[in-house]
Amino acid sequence: MPLYLALTCVSALLAVSVYAIVDRRNHDVSRNVYRLCVGLCGVLFLAAVMPRGAHVVSTALPLGLPWIGMHFRIDVLTAFFLAVVNLGGVAASAYAIGYGAHEKEPMRVLPFYPAFLAGMNLVVLADDAFTFLVAWEFMSLTSWALVLTHHHEEENRRAGFVYLLMASFGGFALLMAFGVLGGVAGAYDFASIRESTKEGWKTGLVLALALVGMGSKAGLAPLHIWLPLAHPAAPSHVSALMSGVMTKVAVYGFIRVVFDLLGPPAFWWSVEPMTFGAASALIGVLFATIQSDLKKLLAYSTIENIGIIFIALGLALAFKANGMALPAALAFTAALFHVFNHSLFKSLLFFGAGAVLNASGERSIERLGGLIHSMPKTAFLFLGGCVAIAALPPLNGFVSEWLVFQAILLSPSLPQWTVKLLVPAVGVALALSAALGAGCYIRAYGVAFLGRPRSEAARAAHDPDRWSLASMAVLLTLCLTAGLLPSLVIDTISPVAKDFVGGRMPTQAELSWLSIAPVAESRSSYNGLLVFVFILFSAYSARWVIHKFGTARSRRAPAWDCGYIETSPMTQYTGSSFAQPIRRTLGVIAFSVRERLDMPAPGDTRAARLSIEIKDRIFDYLYAPLTRAVESCAAGLNILSLLTIQEYLALVFAALVFLLVLVAI
């Protein structure tokens, strides 16, 4: 029943896309589309959490390839990611009921938005390589169309091109991975792949291809270059889906291939996910710290959080390969917990950024300021999202990152010295990224929402509609609930860990006071509810002491103006100045910076100017040479366009002979 209900809802989402085109002249078509998406994603969420009579439910439909069909399946992993995808879909669609009214060209969004939701659901439900790849490409193409919503801007067209290029590259890597898994027999249904014997070199090749294919969609460094371009280009509710949900579909694909289809892991499988995860966490947070564009800052932050997830998955592989079921379950649970958490608080923050953009027309935090007065409700909700993503207790971001650190502390028990030496370095990178992440969101919130308005647009801003506020409030409530009652989430994830790493964490609901203990209560434990009560008690006590023993008079005075009269709000502390120490000390790790100061001579009335040029080292050292090589090859191969028909036929014949010889060998 849950599987057929899910497939029916996916078909209905595709029908909503058709309805958006047919009824495009209707004034209420935008609200109708988003309302239908809310309802259908809600039913899909219920299908994911609905009790199933069997542990695994599967079916095959007579579609797709002849005599093979399309296979679909719901198991515990599918159900978890189905819930994540559709919870994000409900929130984004509800937010868009109000936000979509501001869209100047709604027909560039409405036909593709339900199809994008359908594509993500189909990827998670697919149970054979053909269905998976078709759904994957469908998801990529619909999201590419949404990235190009505001196609009149040159930057957005470039973002769409880079995204399509990276999506094609990732899809090709996945095609090769499934080709190797299917082997000569060509059995591409997942059940046959699970039962097949894999040679050592094949598993290594598939692991690398899966990391490239899924990592390029997730935003794993160095395959992340599309993400900070595409996410800011799309409408905010689409950005929330791409960053909070679509990247998790890529994580699902990696888990499905590496933890399920490849069979029992070897310890060296863990090296690549941990290495690239640590690099992503560090590079993502360093770039986020220096960004002034609010949506680009959130996009780079996604790279950091994807890195955290892959670090945890790498640890789970290392522990599983050594038969250490409990530590493997801890790391795997931490990864899935962070998947869930990131989908909540990143969607919340993108919704907040969309509200700010609609109200002020500004994405640069340097042009904002004082929004806590003009947008008080948005300011409160955005602050909650910042606390969650900065991994501060008692919200949910702290719990999942704390669990990752607990898994890292168990790594000395691993027998292989390669992993023993790698994990502490990964832990240092994770700790540094966590600290920088907190500073990044202090900077973003402080500059954008506190102080005085730096522009008239910021001064005239106002809170968004009730649909947008309600969506953000629900997400913040879920962040707080998952932070206060993490035992509920952990026990929900435990059956997935049991199936995929062979163990589970201790049942957390049995612990007193709603505490959680990753391994044993005597070793380490955390109680979000008690921490929350302590924070409330401390805050109230401080307030009581100040009001009891302080002066009863309230004084208001102008901000300190350094001795000048009527200073401009633009002279406030800026985001660039806040990030300057990090830019100068740690920036060399991820990017190259060139600062140019134009200081007029004494007596010259020109204004002093400071310009900063930042370049991505990965793009300069990896993608720029590759681009030049492709352009050079294309110029050299241009001669093929001048061949005669006889020469074309000879070339095709030679290629055919070469491929036949290759197959024979």
Side-chain angles (χ1 to χ4, degrees), residues 66-287:
W67 303 290
I68 295 178
M70 302 179 79
H71 298 75
F72 300 96
R73 161 185 165 121
I74 292 183
D75 58 10
V76 285
L77 182 69
T78 300
F80 175 79
F81 277 92
L82 206 61
V84 170
V85 168
N86 291 288
L87 186 60
V90 168
S93 302
Y95 175 86
I97 292 174
Y99 179 86
H102 304 281
E103 187 59 58
K104 295 179 180 177
E105 296 181 278
M107 290 313 297
R108 294 197 64 88
V109 180
L110 297 180
F112 304 107
Y113 179 82
F116 179 41
L117 291 171
M120 290 191 290
N121 279 287
L122 282 174
V123 172
V124 177
L125 291 167
D127 195 33
D128 67 80
F130 173 78
T131 307
F132 186 96
L133 289 172
V134 168
W136 184 272
E137 291 303 309
F138 186 71
M139 175 183 73
S140 298
L141 287 172
T142 49
S143 55
W144 167 74
L146 290 167
V147 167
L148 285 176
T149 297
H150 305 132
H151 62 99
H152 301 293
E153 300 175 23
E154 173 62 29
E155 185 180 357
N156 292 350
R157 292 198 296 273
R158 177 173 175 265
F161 174 74
V162 174
Y163 175 50
L164 190 62
L165 196 64
M166 293 302 295
S168 303
F169 174 67
F172 178 75
L174 291 180
L175 180 64
M176 295 298 102
F178 283 117
V180 175
L181 281 172
V184 223
Y188 295 125
D189 60 290
F190 288 171
S192 300
I193 292 175
R194 286 186 193 96
E195 295 169 3
S196 63
T197 306
K198 289 94 176 173
E199 300 172 22
W201 69 270
K202 284 186 178 181
T203 60
L205 179 59
V206 171
L207 174 66
L209 289 170
L211 199 63
V212 169
M214 310 298 180
S216 64
K217 184 67 71 181
L220 197 66
L223 304 167
H224 66 282
I225 59 165
W226 67 269
L227 197 143
L229 298 174
H231 287 198
S236 294
H237 61 297
V238 176
S239 300
L241 276 180
M242 293 180 69
S243 185
V245 177
M246 186 182 73
T247 55
K248 309 311 174 301
V249 174
V251 173
Y252 162 81
F254 181 81
I255 295 173
R256 177 62 72 191
V257 171
V258 177
F259 284 81
D260 185 14
L261 303 183
L262 268 184
F267 82 90
W268 52 267
W269 290 14
S270 65
V271 174
E272 289 180 18
M274 281 196 287
T275 303
F276 289 108
S280 299
L282 206 51
I283 289 170
V285 75
L286 284 172
F287 269 104

Side-chain angles (χ1 to χ4, degrees), residues 328-381:
L330 169 58
F332 192 80
T333 303
L336 293 192
F337 202 157
H338 203 70
V339 163
F340 175 71
N341 289 342
H342 185 252
S343 70
L344 296 179
F345 53 63
K346 186 51 64 70
S347 297
L348 167 59
L349 290 170
F350 265 111
F351 293 166
V356 170
L357 177 60
N358 260 349
S360 65
E362 295 286 350
R363 283 195 337 209
S364 173
I365 60 175
E366 311 289 15
R367 299 277 302 162
L368 298 171
L371 294 180
I372 196 171
H373 302 294
S374 54
M375 304 178 69
K377 296 175 183 176
T378 304
F380 173 77
L381 296 168

Side-chain angles (χ1 to χ4, degrees), residues 316-465:
L317 283 172
F319 288 126
K320 182 182 178 182
N322 287 284
M324 302 167 65
L326 181 56
L330 169 58
F332 192 80
T333 303
L336 293 192
F337 202 157
H338 203 70
V339 163
F340 175 71
N341 289 342
H342 185 252
S343 70
L344 296 179
F345 53 63
K346 186 51 64 70
S347 297
L348 167 59
L349 290 170
F350 265 111
F351 293 166
V356 170
L357 177 60
N358 260 349
S360 65
E362 295 286 350
R363 283 195 337 209
S364 173
I365 60 175
E366 311 289 15
R367 299 277 302 162
L368 298 171
L371 294 180
I372 196 171
H373 302 294
S374 54
M375 304 178 69
K377 296 175 183 176
T378 304
F380 173 77
L381 296 168
F382 197 89
L383 176 61
C386 289
V387 172
I389 199 171
L392 298 176
L395 271 73
N396 56 343
F398 172 80
V399 183
S400 52
E401 289 200 29
W402 181 74
L403 289 175
V404 177
F405 279 113
Q406 293 299 314
I408 288 174
L409 292 176
L410 297 176
S411 64
S413 56
L414 290 167
Q416 294 85 12
W417 279 100
T418 307
V419 185
K420 274 188 174 182
L421 295 174
L422 175 64
V423 174
V426 168
V428 170
L430 183 59
L432 181 58
S433 68
L436 290 173
C440 169
Y441 282 96
I442 291 172
R443 166 184 177 266
Y445 189 84
V447 175
F449 287 89
L450 305 182
R452 292 183 292 164
R454 294 176 175 82
S455 63
E456 189 58 40
R459 187 176 290 105
H462 54 83
D463 277 318
D465 59 278

